[in-house]
Every structure is written in C-alpha cells, then in structure tokens.
Amino acid sequence: VQEITIPKGEKTNIERSPKISDITYRKFIYVVEGWLKIFINDQEYNVKRRGVVMFRSDLPHYYMNIYNNDCVLLTFLTPKHF
C-alpha cells in the first residue's frame, strides 16, 4: 500500500509496471480525499472521494488532481488472481 498526495493542479509522471513472465498485476486506486482524474492507456476517468478504480498496472497511466485542495489516494498492487 502506498499513500500519495497530489497538490492542487499537479499531475504524476507516467507509470507502467513491467510485465514479469506471465503474471499480470492489477492496481487499485482509492481516493481518500479530493477528486482525481486518472489517465489509463489514453482513457480518462474521474474518481471522487471514496471512489475506487482498478486496472492492469502494465498499461501506461498517470494521475491529475482536479480538486481545489490536495488530493490523497491509496494505491494497491496485486496479482490478477487475487
């Protein structure tokens, strides 16, 4: 579990987990506070406070804070079979 705080108007760098043999990992994002725009493989998703999104972590992705204050989120990385 990782907690990330993104200041107002800021965005993260593009991430992409490496593929390890035949294992596909999933990333779960839980927005603790704020409103987050997530870009996953050229698709946009808006996630509000207490919202959750899940996706394959090997897809290119980044996060943008579209809230008036800091946006706090938790990220979880897990193998697909969980």
Side-chain angles (χ1 to χ4, degrees):
V1 177
Q2 180 181 17
E3 181 179 284
I4 300 172
T5 300
I6 305 172
K8 174 184 175 183
E10 297 291 318
K11 66 180 181 179
T12 63
N13 294 323
I14 295 174
E15 300 176 34
R16 184 179 197 164
S17 299
K19 270 199 158 184
I20 303 170
S21 68
D22 61 345
I23 300 173
T24 301
Y25 287 88
R26 301 285 186 202
K27 188 174 267 189
F28 293 84
I29 306 295
Y30 174 76
V31 178
V32 177
E33 187 63 43
W35 191 334
L36 186 68
K37 184 172 284 208
I38 301 177
F39 297 84
I40 304 167
N41 206 26
D42 297 326
Q43 297 290 318
E44 294 181 24
Y45 303 91
N46 291 324
V47 186
K48 293 183 181 181
R49 181 175 177 244
R50 297 185 181 163
V52 177
V53 67
M54 177 191 73
F55 56 93
R56 285 185 16 217
S57 65
D58 63 324
L59 297 174
H61 57 278
Y62 68 95
Y63 320 118
M64 179 185 293
N65 180 357
I66 56 176
Y67 187 56
N68 291 328
N69 295 305
D70 287 352
C71 183
V72 180
L73 55 130
L74 299 176
T75 65
F76 305 83
L77 190 63
T78 181
K80 181 181 178 182
H81 63 274
F82 281 108

